[in-house]
């Protein structure tokens, strides 16, 4: 079972769920990354917890960069500049939608939110369509 | 104490993102390639996360306040409108383009790969651009 390709995604997902649960149980806050970053950028009140959470994210990143460096290798058929554009869409869209894969997809669905269900179905659909588009009109590389 | 827990939650979250493969754009794009060479393994990431977090919410439902903080901070938007759906659509396009969503987009910066740095910079630009438009055009928005 440990060798199954589903094992690490499942365990990783459960850790994400656990993190969100502890954050909510103890501090009453939603672990929605786009919201945390967005509200920090807008200098909304009580930035301390957002700074601490992001610092923890980065610290975890550094730790795992040493433990599992292979998980940071970029191996996609995308030119480097596409990442700039992708980031802009993600940044803009998540602010407009007030959530992302963690905010709507994990936290919202777990709270049985209809808004989050519709948001998740929508971003999954356009993400799938985008990949399909790139594969069929640009032969998978842009 | 609250601060330490918040920090550790961030670290745990990052651990989940990295171990699950969410920081690998190639894996994300494979997961989104359902009409091509589909790699379904990442479905277990959201599946596992929701399984744990939904279960937690069911157990925690009746509480009036968090264990340490004084109140819950819940989102207050209720409308299903163009902002929710349009925003999600745009976010999805970005996700399909780059294979990164916000969490991995932040965590991956530690690798200093040009792709992750450009994505993160782009994300900041997108965030700032959105809020600039909202301020300039005084578009009513919640939260």
């Amino acid at each position: 079972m440990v060798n199954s390709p589903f094992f690490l995604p499942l365990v990783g997902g459960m850790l994400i769920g656990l993190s969100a649960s502890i954050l909510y149980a103890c501090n009453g806050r939603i672990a929605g990354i786009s919201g945390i970053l967005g509200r920090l950028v807008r200098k909304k009140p009580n930035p301390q917890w957002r700074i601490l959470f992001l610092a923890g994210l980065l610290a975890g990143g550094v730790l795992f960069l040493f433990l599992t460096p292979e998980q940071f290798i970029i191996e996609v058929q995308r030119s480097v500049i596409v990442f700039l554009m992708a980031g802009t869409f993600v940044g803009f869209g998540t602010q407009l939608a007030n959530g992302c894969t963690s905010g709507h997809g994990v936290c919202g669905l777990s709270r049985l939110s209809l808004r989050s269900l519709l948001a998740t179905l929508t971003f999954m659909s356009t993400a799938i369509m985008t990949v399909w588009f790139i594969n069929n009109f640009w032969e998978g590389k842009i | 104490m609250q601060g330490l827990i918040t920090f550790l939650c961030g670290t745990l979250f990052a651990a989940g993102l990295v171990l699950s493969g969410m920081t690998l754009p190639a894996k994300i794009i494979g997961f989104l390639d359902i009409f091509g060479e589909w790699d379904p393994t990442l479905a277990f990431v959201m599946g596992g996360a929701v399984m744990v977090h939904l279960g937690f919410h069911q157990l925690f439902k009746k509480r009036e306040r968090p264990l340490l903080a004084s109140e819950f901070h819940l989102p207050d938007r209720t409308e299903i409108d163009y902002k929710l759906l349009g925003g999600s659509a745009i976010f999805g396009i970005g996700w399909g383009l780059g294979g990164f969503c916000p969490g991995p987009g932040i965590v991956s910066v530690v690798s200093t790969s040009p792709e992750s740095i450009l994505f993160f910079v782009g994300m900041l630009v997108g965030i700032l651009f959105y809020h600039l438009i909202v301020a300039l055009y005084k578009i009513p928005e919640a939260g």
Side-chain angles (χ1 to χ4, degrees):
Chain A
M1 188 213 167
V2 180
N3 290 323
S4 155
F6 297 95
F7 181 72
L8 275 180
L10 180 65
V11 167
M14 290 173 72
L15 291 179
I16 291 169
L18 183 63
S19 162
S21 301
I22 295 172
L23 187 70
Y24 190 76
C26 293
N27 297 347
R29 294 284 185 179
I30 304 255
I33 308 298
S34 67
I36 292 172
L37 184 60
R39 289 185 176 93
L40 197 57
V41 161
R42 286 153 77 198
K43 306 197 165 142
K44 287 284 178 183
N46 302 314
Q48 302 87 352
W49 82 269
R50 297 188 180 96
I51 292 170
L52 281 165
F53 189 88
L54 289 186
L57 262 190
L58 290 170
V62 171
L63 175 66
F64 280 89
L65 184 64
F66 286 100
L67 293 176
T68 57
E70 67 280 5
Q71 297 294 86
F72 291 87
I73 294 175
I74 313 280
E75 255 180 347
V76 279
Q77 306 208 291
R78 301 282 190 269
S79 55
V80 173
I81 205 70
V82 165
F83 286 90
L84 188 66
M85 195 164 102
T88 313
F89 275 71
V90 168
F92 188 91
T94 53
Q95 298 305 296
L96 184 58
N98 199 38
C100 58
T101 32
S102 54
H104 283 306
V106 175
C107 299
L109 292 186
S110 297
R111 290 177 53 237
L112 307 177
S113 158
L114 178 62
R115 263 178 60 90
S116 291
L117 176 64
L118 294 173
T120 304
L121 290 172
T122 304
F123 66 67
M124 291 287 333
S125 301
T126 61
I128 288 168
M129 282 193 264
T130 300
V131 168
W132 181 87
F133 217 78
I134 292 170
N135 285 349
N136 285 278
F137 290 90
W138 276 280
E139 283 149 15
K141 41 176 129 174
I142 52 166
Chain B
M1 187 56 175
Q2 257 180 266
L4 179 63
I5 288 180
T6 303
F7 179 85
L8 290 175
C9 281
T11 309
L12 192 60
F13 200 102
L17 286 177
V18 177
L19 291 173
S20 65
M22 290 293 289
T23 50
L24 294 166
K27 232 164 156 44
I28 300 287
I29 286 163
F31 169 65
L32 297 171
D33 191 14
I34 65 173
F35 300 113
E37 308 202 359
W38 190 36
D39 174 6
T41 54
L42 287 191
F44 281 75
V45 185
M46 200 179 285
V50 172
M51 187 174 76
V52 168
H53 199 41
L54 196 155
F56 156 77
H57 269 295
Q58 291 303 304
L59 295 171
F60 209 72
K61 247 193 314 211
K62 298 290 194 315
R63 299 198 71 106
E64 303 209 340
R65 48 160 292 183
L67 297 171
L68 297 176
S70 55
E71 57 177 334
F72 291 112
H73 294 90
L74 288 170
D76 51 10
R77 297 194 196 180
T78 52
E79 329 76 59
I80 289 155
D81 61 2
Y82 79 93
K83 295 200 282 273
L84 181 76
L85 301 177
S88 298
I90 293 168
F91 159 49
I93 293 171
W95 195 27
L97 270 175
F100 280 125
C101 58
I106 295 172
V107 172
S108 295
V109 164
V110 305
S111 72
T112 69
S113 66
E115 294 89 347
S116 63
I117 290 175
L118 280 176
F119 181 87
F120 180 73
V121 168
M123 196 163 57
L124 285 181
V125 167
I127 291 173
L128 289 166
F129 182 58
Y130 171 76
H131 291 295
L132 180 69
I133 295 201
V134 166
L136 282 179
Y137 292 95
K138 298 188 174 54
I139 300 168
E141 51 126 18

